[in-house]
Amino acid sequence: MEEKLSSVSKKFAPSPIQELSHLAQRCNAINLAEGFPDFPAPPYIKEAAVSAINSDFNQYRHVQGICDHLALIMKRMHGLNINPLTDIAICCGQTEAFAAAIFSIINRGDEVVLFDPCYETYEGCITMAGGIPVYVGLDPPKWTLDPDKLMRSFTTRTKAIVLNSPHNPTGKVFSKGELEVIAEGCRRWDCLVITDEVYEYITFDDQKHVSIASLPGMQERTIITSSLSKTFSITGWRIGWAVAPASAASAIRNIHVKITDSAPAPFQEAALTALRSPSEYFEALRREYQLKRDFTVKLLTLVGFGIQFKPQGAFFLFAELPTNCLLSDVEYVKELIKQAGVVIVPGRGFFHRESYLDQPSEESCSYQTRYVRIAFCKSNATLAAAALKFGELLNATGCPKLHY
Amino acid sequence: MQAQCNWAQLEMLRPLCFQSPATFSTFSKHFQKGSDSSFFRTNRRINKYPSFMAAISTVSTQKGPVSTQDGTSQVPHQPLQVAKRLEKFKTTIFTQMSSLAIKHGAINLGQGFPNFDGPDFVKEAAIQAIKDGKNQYARGYGVPDFNNAIAARFKKDTGLVIDPEKEVTVTSGCTEAIAASVLGLINPGDEVILFAPFYDSYEATLSMAGAKIKCLTLRPPDFAVPIDELKSTISKNTRAILINTPHNPTGKMFTHEELNTIASLCVENDVLVFTDEVYDKLAFEMDHISMASLPGMYERTVTMNSLGKTFSLTGWKIGWAIAPPHLTWGVRQAHSFLTFATSTPMQWAATVALRAPDSYYVELRRDYLAKKAILVEGLKDVGFKVFPSSGTYFVVVDHTPFGLENDIVFCEYLIKEVGVVAIPTSVFYLNPEDGKNLVRFTFCKDEGTLRSAVERMKQKLRKK
C-alpha cells in the first residue's frame, strides 16, 4: 500500500500553521487569524432559513429566484446584462463555483495566471485539474500591478487569469486602471478571467468594487464567482455562484452536479431573503467593517507597525513587521501568541516566489517572510480584548516591548 | 515560431506537478518547492513567445492549432471554450425527464428523492443550530461531534472501531465524497473498474481524474457480479474498484460471496475499493454488508454514505467518507479544494440524526416496504417484467412487453400518453444498448402518489 502513495505525500511534514493553531488553542488565544466572523449572522436571514426548513424545502432543488435576483443585482451594480436562465450556476459556496469553473475550462497543461500574494486554495484546485499555476508578484508596499510583469507571464498556454478583488490577504481593491491592464492582456492573448468577488460588498473610503466583466469586451471572457458567505456573515451555509456566458455557465452547472449535485436547499431559500436586503444593510456593512479596519490599523500602529497600505476592502490587514523587529513572520506570530495571547497568520504561506516567471532571488523577496495577516471580521468585543492584550505589550514609556 | 509544447516532457514531469495538491495544510510547501521550480523553468523555455508577437497579433490569430494529448487538433477558440473533458457532460437525464414531466402533469416516479419530508426531530436540530449561531465555517473535515457520531454509527453497523479525527471526512453529500475520493486518490491513467449500470457521477468524476475506466455489466435477472469477467479484468494495474451496494438503479445488494471474491482479488492485486453505501438502511431482502468489514479490507477501502436517503433530507447535502488515514488524506486534499467545508448547521442536525434510536430505522424499513409492495404489485399487474430488488427505493423493469423500441422512447411515451415518469436506464451504462430494455421506477413517494401512478398505468398502458 505504501508504494501507491505519491512521492510528494511521503515527504509531508507537519506545517507551521498547524503547530501555531495548536499553540494558540493551548494558550486560549484571541483569534484574529481565521477569516470568518465571530459575531452572529443577521437575524432576518436566519429566520428565513428556519422558515425554509419548517416549510419542507429540504429535498434537492435549484432555486431559480436566486438567479433572477443576481441578474438584477449585476445589472444595478455593474451594468451587466445577465440571463438568469442560462448564465448562472448555483454552487456550494464560492469554493465549489471556482472548482467547477476551473474544471470546466482547464485542460491538462493549461496555464493559469495568479497574483501574489494569493489565497491558497486556488492553486490546489488548478493543479488538481491538471493546470499550471503561474504567479505574478504584486509590488509591495502598496501591492501595485506591474503591467510588464503581467504581460511577460502570458504564453500560448495561458488559459485564464484568476482575479480576487477585493483581495485576500492584502485588502487591495484593483483599480480601474489595473483592471484595464488585465483586460488588455486577456484580449491580446485571448484568455479568460475567473474572478473571486466574495468581498464585493466590503470596500472602504471611496472605493467601489468594479467587476472586470463590466469592461469592454470582457463579459464574454469572464467567469464571475462569489457567494453569500462574507456579505451576510454565513460562511457555514455554502451558498455561492458562478456567472458566465451561457456555454460556460452550462458547463459549470453540469460539473457542479457531478461534484455535489445541489447546494443546501433550505439555505438556497434563505438566499432569496438575503439577496433582497435593502441598501441600508450594505451601507451598514461597509461602515462597520471600516470602523473595525480603522481600529485594527490604529492598534497595530501602537505596537510599532508602520502601516504603509491601509486595506481598501475585504477584512484583512496585511502588515509588514516593524523594521526594528528581527523576527520572521512565523517567529513573530509565535511570540505574539505566547506573550500577548493573540493569534494572527504568518504571511509566507500566501507567497509563491518559486513560481514567478522571472525567478527572483531570495534576497529580493526577503519581504515575503516579513508580513503578517490580521483578520478584523470580529466583534467589537473581540477587537477590544485584542487591543487590551496588545496594550500589555507596551512598556511604561509606551514603547512596544515584544521581546525581539 | 517556437516549437509547440513538448508533451512527452510535460508527461514525464506530470506526476510531481499533479501531486502538488498534496500540500496537506495550507502553508507547508517546503517538500515540493524544488521539483516544481525546475518544472516551471523547463516549461518556460519551451513555450515562450518573442514579445513582438504579442504586440502585433490580434486575438484569434494569436494561437495556431495546438496538439492535444490524444493527438487531435484544438482549434483556436472563441472566447470561452470549455475543457475537452466536458464533451461527455450534458444536462442530466433527470432534469430532462423532470421538465417533460412538469409539462405533461405527469406523476414523477423518476427522480430519486422523496415527496415527503424528513423527521421533525432532525429538522428541529437544524433550526436550533441556526439559532445558536452555528453559521460559520465548520472544520474542513467535519464538526468534531458529527465525526464522532459517524464513527459511533459505523461501529454499530460494522463492528469496526475507527478514529473520527483521522478516518472520517464530512462532505457535501455522498456525491462529493465520491468526487473527492476519485480526484484525491486516482491519478491520470489509473485503471478503475466500474459496474454498469452505475450512478452517473461515477463516470463523470473518473473522467475528470483522467482514469481509464474498465466496465463490467450486471445483467438481469439477478444482476449478479460476473466473476469470470472480473477475474480477467482486474490486474496489478488496477488502481481501484467502485462498488455501490445496495445498488442504484437495480436494487441489487452485493452478497457475502460476491464481496469475498472481490475482496480476495483486491488483496491479491493491491486494489483500492470505493463503496457507495447511501442506501444501506434501505436493505429489505438481505443484510447490508460493508466491504470495509471483511478481513484485510479496511486498510484499502473508502466507505461512503450520507444523510439524505436515510432521513429524507436529500437537499441538505451531508455525506461522509470513512477510510484509513493514508487514504483519508487524499480524500481531504481534494475535498478542501472542491468545497472546503460542509454546511455547519446541517452537520449539527445530522449528529442528532445519527443518534436516532433503532425504532427510527425499523419504522423506515416498514414504511418503505409498504410502498414497495404497492409499486411492485402494481407494475406486475400492469404487465411489466419486474426484477427483484433487494434494497434501495428503486426497482428496475423490462418495458418490452409494451412494444416500444428502447427505454428513452418508452419513457417519453409513458410521460406523454400515460402521465407517469420513469428513468431510462441506458444512461447508466457505458454502452447504452445494454440498458435499452430497462427502465427504473422509484417508490420514495407517499402511498397515494404510488397508487395514482399505478392506476394511470393500468388504465393507459397497453401491451402490444
Side-chain angles (χ1 to χ4, degrees):
Chain A
M1 182 60 60
E2 296 302 313
E3 326 76 67
K4 292 219 164 170
L5 294 178
S6 67
S7 52
V8 159
S9 73
K10 291 184 219 171
K11 294 186 216 156
F12 162 69
S15 88
I17 287 299
Q18 282 199 327
E19 287 169 10
L20 289 170
S21 293
H22 295 146
L23 180 60
Q25 255 181 336
R26 285 199 303 272
C27 301
N28 225 353
I30 296 177
N31 200 318
L32 301 187
E34 298 158 332
F36 55 84
D38 65 355
F39 47 82
Y44 69 98
I45 297 178
K46 291 196 287 192
E47 284 310 315
V50 167
S51 168
I53 293 171
N54 278 328
S55 310
D56 299 346
F57 285 115
N58 296 306
Q59 309 310 323
Y60 297 126
R61 66 198 286 115
H62 159 81
V63 176
Q64 182 57 32
I66 294 177
C67 305
D68 299 334
H69 275 108
L70 285 174
L72 285 170
I73 291 170
M74 307 231 83
K75 178 76 189 176
R76 203 175 58 227
M77 267 186 74
H78 304 295
L80 291 167
N81 290 314
I82 307 284
N83 182 338
L85 288 170
T86 58
D87 297 355
I88 305 179
I90 303 170
C91 299
C92 292
Q94 181 273 343
T95 304
E96 203 216 344
F98 183 85
I102 288 288
F103 275 104
S104 75
I105 61 166
I106 298 300
N107 285 309
R108 290 185 202 291
D110 282 349
E111 289 170 8
V112 180
V113 171
L114 302 129
F115 297 108
D116 221 35
C118 193
Y119 176 60
E120 194 57 32
T121 304
Y122 307 137
E123 170 165 337
C125 193
I126 291 163
T127 325
M128 195 164 55
I132 300 162
V134 172
Y135 287 93
V136 170
L138 298 170
D139 296 334
K142 297 200 196 289
W143 311 109
T144 42
L145 172 62
D146 179 342
D148 287 330
K149 252 197 225 173
L150 174 62
M151 289 309 165
R152 284 199 311 272
S153 70
F154 287 102
T155 72
T156 48
R157 292 260 158 269
T158 310
K159 190 67 178 279
I161 301 182
V162 172
L163 177 60
N164 170 218
S165 180
H167 185 247
N168 172 11
T170 64
K172 168 191 176 64
V173 171
F174 282 70
S175 69
K176 197 89 188 278
E178 287 170 328
L179 294 181
E180 206 15 78
V181 166
I182 297 168
E184 179 53 30
C186 287
R187 289 185 215 110
R188 230 193 269 174
W189 288 82
D190 194 19
C191 296
L192 314 174
V193 181
I194 304 178
T195 70
D196 173 357
E197 304 183 23
V198 292
Y199 302 101
E200 55 187 315
Y201 291 103
I202 304 174
T203 56
F204 309 127
D205 309 312
D206 291 325
Q207 287 290 341
K208 191 175 164 283
H209 166 66
V210 174
S211 185
I212 199 171
S214 62
L215 269 57
M218 289 308 289
Q219 186 173 350
E220 71 214 42
R221 55 177 76 251
T222 304
I223 299 173
I224 296 172
T225 68
S226 192
S227 77
L228 293 182
S229 293
K230 312 298 198 290
T231 308
F232 298 99
S233 307
I234 40 171
T235 58
W237 285 15
R238 322 313 291 137
I239 300 291
W241 52 83
V243 178
S247 60
S250 166
I252 291 168
R253 209 175 301 117
N254 292 341
I255 299 234
H256 148 71
V257 163
K258 304 301 192 234
I259 298 179
T260 64
D261 200 43
S262 126
F267 298 136
Q268 286 192 56
E269 281 302 312
L272 294 175
T273 302
L275 292 172
R276 283 195 293 253
S277 297
S279 56
E280 290 78 50
Y281 173 82
F282 300 98
E283 278 151 31
L285 186 78
R286 285 180 60 145
R287 229 177 19 240
E288 278 158 30
Y289 269 123
Q290 183 160 328
L291 286 170
K292 294 178 202 287
R293 175 202 65 171
D294 294 341
F295 186 87
T296 309
V297 166
K298 191 153 163 222
L299 176 52
L300 284 208
T301 314
L302 278 174
V303 289
F305 282 78
I307 306 293
Q308 291 186 283
F309 178 73
K310 256 189 0 181
Q312 302 167 315
F315 42 54
F316 302 108
L317 175 58
F318 202 53
E320 191 175 11
L321 294 174
T323 29
N324 60 352
C325 174
L326 300 173
L327 299 176
S328 74
D329 53 351
V330 174
E331 289 160 350
Y332 186 89
V333 170
K334 241 188 226 171
E335 286 307 308
L336 197 67
I337 295 173
K338 285 195 255 182
Q339 295 182 38
V342 176
V343 58
I344 59 182
V345 176
R348 70 178 60 190
F350 295 102
F351 291 105
H352 307 82
R353 177 176 61 83
E354 293 77 19
S355 307
Y356 289 1
L357 172 71
D358 43 4
Q359 298 290 311
S361 65
E362 198 159 340
E363 307 93 69
S364 69
C365 289
S366 58
Y367 65 89
Q368 296 186 354
T369 53
R370 300 273 305 159
Y371 274 83
V372 287
R373 189 194 79 171
I374 301 103
F376 50 85
C377 47
K378 307 293 170 188
S379 69
N380 292 340
T382 304
L383 293 175
L388 248 123
K389 296 285 188 182
F390 271 102
E392 287 161 17
L393 291 177
L394 300 172
N395 64 16
T397 60
C399 290
K401 64 169 166 54
L402 184 69
H403 300 297
Y404 299 150
Chain B
M1 192 136 130
Q2 287 285 341
Q4 296 299 336
C5 177
N6 182 333
W7 282 100
Q9 198 145 3
L10 252 186
E11 278 310 298
M12 203 164 69
L13 295 166
R14 172 67 58 223
L16 284 171
C17 191
F18 183 79
Q19 290 303 329
S20 66
T23 315
F24 194 100
S25 71
T26 47
F27 298 114
S28 169
K29 309 243 321 259
H30 313 295
F31 49 83
Q32 57 161 354
K33 280 175 174 163
S35 42
D36 271 359
S37 55
S38 62
F39 173 86
F40 288 120
R41 273 199 290 274
T42 317
N43 195 34
R44 288 274 151 262
R45 281 199 292 275
I46 291 166
N47 287 307
K48 205 168 155 72
Y49 263 52
S51 56
F52 72 85
M53 290 212 64
I56 62 172
S57 302
T58 56
V59 166
S60 50
T61 59
Q62 177 79 36
K63 295 179 191 150
V66 174
S67 274
T68 58
Q69 196 162 348
D70 56 8
T72 58
S73 236
Q74 187 175 308
V75 171
H77 52 77
Q78 306 110 34
L80 265 165
Q81 189 202 37
V82 296
K84 290 188 72 56
R85 66 168 69 80
L86 285 184
E87 279 146 13
K88 294 188 193 189
F89 286 51
K90 299 169 196 73
T91 317
T92 71
I93 193 74
F94 306 101
T95 326
Q96 286 163 19
M97 289 285 149
S98 284
S99 310
L100 209 52
I102 292 170
K103 210 164 128 197
H104 292 269
I107 298 175
N108 200 326
L109 300 191
Q111 215 152 355
F113 55 79
N115 68 348
F116 47 85
D117 215 46
D120 284 337
F121 74 97
V122 180
K123 288 170 22 176
E124 273 150 25
I127 288 170
Q128 196 55 50
I130 293 169
K131 289 181 172 167
D132 289 346
K134 299 188 157 67
N135 301 305
Q136 306 309 328
Y137 289 127
R139 187 177 63 174
Y141 58 93
V143 168
D145 247 359
F146 185 39
N147 288 44
N148 291 339
I150 291 169
R153 187 71 230 178
F154 192 63
K155 173 156 188 243
K156 194 150 189 229
D157 291 336
T158 64
L160 293 168
V161 174
I162 59 169
D163 182 343
E165 294 299 292
K166 301 202 182 106
E167 300 178 292
V168 175
T169 306
V170 175
T171 56
S172 291
C174 187
T175 306
E176 200 217 332
I178 295 162
S181 300
V182 167
L183 290 167
L185 295 171
I186 303 295
N187 289 314
D190 280 352
E191 275 181 28
V192 177
I193 295 176
L194 262 193
F195 292 102
F198 44 73
Y199 176 61
D200 59 351
S201 84
Y202 302 162
E203 190 201 348
T205 42
L206 284 169
S207 48
M208 274 163 76
K212 248 188 345 217
I213 298 175
K214 300 258 165 144
C215 196
L216 300 172
T217 307
L218 305 174
R219 299 189 189 282
D222 55 1
F223 301 105
V225 174
I227 298 291
D228 290 334
E229 260 185 78
L230 175 61
K231 284 182 176 166
S232 64
T233 308
I234 201 169
S235 74
K236 300 246 187 285
N237 290 330
T238 310
R239 168 71 166 156
I241 182 168
L242 237 149
I243 294 174
N244 173 215
T245 179
H247 184 251
N248 171 13
T250 64
K252 168 203 174 49
M253 291 178 64
F254 282 61
T255 63
H256 207 257
E257 206 192 316
E258 286 173 328
L259 291 174
N260 266 328
T261 308
I262 297 172
S264 49
L265 288 168
C266 287
V267 169
E268 199 185 308
N269 293 282
D270 196 15
V271 175
L272 301 179
V273 183
F274 299 162
T275 68
D276 171 357
E277 304 184 13
V278 292
Y279 299 102
D280 67 339
K281 300 298 181 286
L282 297 180
F284 304 119
E285 309 302 326
M286 53 179 270
D287 286 336
H288 169 73
I289 304 161
S290 278
M291 180 63 106
S293 63
L294 269 53
M297 291 311 289
Y298 181 75
E299 70 199 50
R300 59 181 67 253
T301 304
V302 181
T303 308
M304 300 175 285
N305 211 324
S306 78
L307 194 75
K309 313 298 196 281
T310 310
F311 289 92
S312 311
L313 296 163
T314 60
W316 281 20
K317 310 310 297 160
I318 297 292
W320 57 88
I322 296 170
H326 64 283
L327 297 181
T328 291
W329 171 86
V331 174
R332 285 183 185 179
Q333 279 298 99
H335 162 66
S336 66
F337 306 128
L338 289 176
T339 61
F340 181 66
T342 308
S343 160
T344 312
M346 288 9 187
Q347 288 192 56
W348 285 93
T351 310
V352 169
L354 285 189
R355 297 202 165 117
D358 288 345
S359 55
Y360 174 80
Y361 298 99
V362 167
E363 239 181 82
L364 182 79
R365 287 185 64 240
R366 196 190 59 214
D367 289 346
Y368 269 117
L369 271 167
K371 296 175 200 291
K372 181 174 177 181
I374 296 172
L375 182 67
V376 168
E377 291 320 306
L379 290 172
K380 283 181 179 159
D381 286 346
V382 169
F384 288 101
K385 177 154 186 238
V386 180
F387 297 107
S389 158
S390 309
T392 76
Y393 43 48
F394 300 114
V395 67
V396 152
V397 305
D398 184 322
H399 65 81
T400 53
F402 302 98
L404 287 153
E405 70 190 81
N406 62 43
D407 55 335
I408 294 180
V409 171
F410 178 79
C411 285
E412 282 171 356
Y413 173 83
L414 196 67
I415 293 175
K416 292 178 190 164
E417 304 303 326
V418 182
V420 174
V421 190
I423 292 291
T425 62
S426 53
V427 70
F428 297 125
Y429 292 83
L430 269 191
N431 175 8
E433 279 297 297
D434 287 339
K436 72 175 189 184
N437 293 343
L438 305 174
V439 298
R440 183 195 82 177
F441 285 94
T442 178
F443 50 90
C444 56
K445 309 291 172 188
D446 67 271
E447 294 187 11
T449 302
L450 294 168
R451 286 186 216 281
S452 302
V454 166
E455 257 325 291
R456 284 192 187 183
M457 287 190 280
K458 276 183 182 163
Q459 283 176 13
K460 301 197 186 158
L461 201 49
R462 291 281 169 265
K463 279 193 191 172
K464 296 282 159 41

